[in-house]
Amino acid sequence: MYLLAATLLIGFATADTNVSVIECGHSGTVRSAIGGRNGLGSTVGDVGSFWSNLHNFQQSRRDGRKNRREHRAGFSLVADHFNKPAGGLAVSLVGEAVDMNMFPKLSAYLKSSESVVGSFNMAGSQSGLLETIVGGETNILKVNEAVGVIRSKVDEFRKRGDNMIESVEINVDNTESAAEIDGKLSALLGSLSEEDGKTVVLHLIVDETAKSRRRLAERRLEDEQDEDEEEDKDEEEEDNEENEDEENNNDADDGNGYVSKSSSSFYGYGYYDDSGDWQTNYRTIFQIQYYQTCLWTSIGLLAVTYTAIYFMINMPLLPDTLLFGESAKMVGE
């Protein structure tokens, strides 16, 4: 139990979409495999493989393809092939307010209830793809009607017993609806877990992508603030260095307005004029490079231009055979 609680806690802390598997009624339809992975780093295909071995699907999914029943080994949750549930219901919590920190009662239930067999944890928003795997139409529910619909779906599965899986989606867009669904859904799951009836497996899909977007925006804002602080520090250090250089230059003045080579920003001697500008006959390496580049580029262009004009002027004058060919033929005749 402690290992399961730790796994769920780590999963909710690291994943954007978490699928918790809950047995309502008699247990034994889902079992834990020894040595399997704990669900971290799962994919949509992993969940679909688990569902296809646990439940019966409709004839085709919403995209027109038939559901496959390949088995993906290596996970801690496996379906019992001899003890099937009466049905399955995928309950998706989506919306801007979906955050497990805002569901304290639901989080406590998932960590402590023995009906929670395990979980799958996926990166990114995967609730829509999971609903596509289920197939059929997904019922979009409001918070105030969600508990009643889930309760009726469970009763319907227990009456039919055909082990079909369906999906419902609950939109949680604000803190009020988050608090309401937290209390009502945790109470419903607690009562369903205590009932002594046919097993219905609930797959609680918590899509925390909106929370991830908020975390990303906050992280970007923090990074921008850190960059601004670093830029301010760099500018302050540059100003301090400039002030120190100016003080050193003033200290190095020999009294006649000249500054020695060791304290000058240029090589050689120089002085500050009445306006405070540095004056020197020496040039920096950048000024020398710029001068040489412009000089030799200009010389090269002038040389090319002169050569082209020279060859054009001294071009030999020859009669045009095309122009004078017909006239020469007439003269010859």
Side-chain angles (χ1 to χ4, degrees):
M1 177 57 66
Y2 292 107
L3 179 60
L4 175 60
T7 301
L8 292 172
L9 180 61
I10 295 174
F12 279 116
T14 57
D16 296 329
T17 302
N18 181 281
V19 181
S20 299
V21 181
I22 307 170
E23 286 184 313
C24 300
H26 297 295
S27 61
T29 59
V30 180
R31 300 189 180 277
S32 298
I34 300 176
R37 284 189 286 160
N38 56 10
L40 296 175
S42 304
T43 64
V44 175
D46 298 328
V47 180
S49 174
F50 170 71
W51 284 354
S52 65
N53 286 277
L54 180 63
H55 299 292
N56 297 324
F57 285 89
Q58 299 183 16
Q59 292 298 323
S60 62
R61 305 186 317 202
R62 281 180 287 180
D63 57 6
R65 295 182 295 170
K66 292 184 178 181
N67 290 287
R68 296 175 297 175
R69 286 183 170 269
E70 73 277 9
H71 178 69
R72 293 175 181 252
F75 284 96
S76 59
L77 296 181
V78 293
D80 191 325
H81 292 282
F82 302 99
N83 187 15
K84 294 294 184 180
L89 183 63
V91 182
S92 301
L93 297 180
V94 299
E96 294 297 327
V98 176
D99 186 345
M100 289 307 297
N101 294 327
M102 304 180 67
F103 302 145
K105 296 180 181 178
L106 185 59
S107 299
Y109 170 81
L110 295 176
K111 295 174 186 177
S112 61
S113 177
E114 295 181 355
S115 299
V116 181
V117 186
S119 65
F120 295 90
N121 305 288
M122 295 162 285
S125 178
Q126 307 296 346
S127 57
L129 292 176
L130 293 174
E131 292 171 358
T132 303
I133 292 177
V134 173
E137 295 295 331
T138 300
N139 294 328
I140 310 299
L141 306 178
K142 296 180 180 179
V143 174
N144 55 1
E145 63 181 2
V147 173
V149 173
I150 295 173
R151 172 80 261 188
S152 63
K153 287 283 186 183
V154 172
D155 295 338
E156 181 181 353
F157 285 136
R158 286 173 174 170
K159 290 180 181 179
R160 295 201 320 246
D162 53 4
N163 193 18
M164 299 296 294
I165 182 173
E166 298 180 8
S167 61
V168 296
E169 181 178 301
I170 306 173
N171 289 321
V172 184
D173 295 325
N174 51 60
T175 55
E176 291 78 10
S177 58
E180 182 178 357
I181 196 65
D182 178 42
K184 292 183 177 180
L185 186 58
S186 59
L188 175 64
L189 294 177
S191 62
L192 290 175
S193 301
E194 296 176 356
E195 293 179 356
D196 186 15
K198 293 182 179 180
T199 305
V200 176
V201 180
L202 294 182
H203 307 275
L204 182 62
I205 305 171
V206 181
D207 192 337
E208 292 187 287
T209 309
K211 173 186 175 182
S212 299
R213 289 197 299 267
R214 290 195 301 270
R215 287 200 303 262
L216 180 59
E218 293 174 356
R219 190 178 301 113
R220 287 179 177 174
L221 181 60
E222 292 176 356
D223 292 341
E224 291 177 357
Q225 292 176 350
D226 294 339
E227 290 178 359
D228 293 338
E229 292 178 357
E230 290 179 359
E231 290 178 358
D232 293 339
K233 290 181 180 179
D234 294 339
E235 292 177 358
E236 184 177 355
E237 291 178 357
E238 291 178 359
D239 293 339
N240 293 333
E241 290 177 358
E242 291 178 358
N243 293 333
E244 291 177 358
D245 291 339
E246 184 175 354
E247 291 177 358
N248 293 334
N249 290 335
N250 292 334
D251 294 339
D253 196 329
D254 61 1
N256 296 322
Y258 292 93
V259 181
S260 65
K261 176 180 178 179
S262 61
S263 61
S264 174
S265 58
F266 299 152
Y267 294 110
Y269 288 90
Y271 64 92
Y272 289 100
D273 59 14
D274 296 336
S275 301
D277 297 328
W278 176 256
Q279 301 294 336
T280 181
N281 294 327
Y282 294 90
R283 297 291 180 263
T284 64
I285 187 64
F286 171 76
Q287 292 173 328
I288 296 173
Q289 291 173 345
Y290 183 76
Y291 173 79
Q292 294 293 331
T293 302
C294 295
L295 173 64
W296 290 105
T297 302
S298 302
I299 293 175
L301 291 175
L302 289 174
V304 172
T305 304
Y306 174 80
T307 303
I309 295 174
Y310 173 79
F311 281 109
M312 185 180 66
I313 293 175
N314 295 281
M315 182 185 299
L317 299 178
L318 299 175
D320 191 343
T321 56
L322 180 63
L323 179 62
F324 295 100
E326 188 66 26
S327 60
K329 181 180 179 181
M330 295 175 62
V331 170
E333 292 177 354

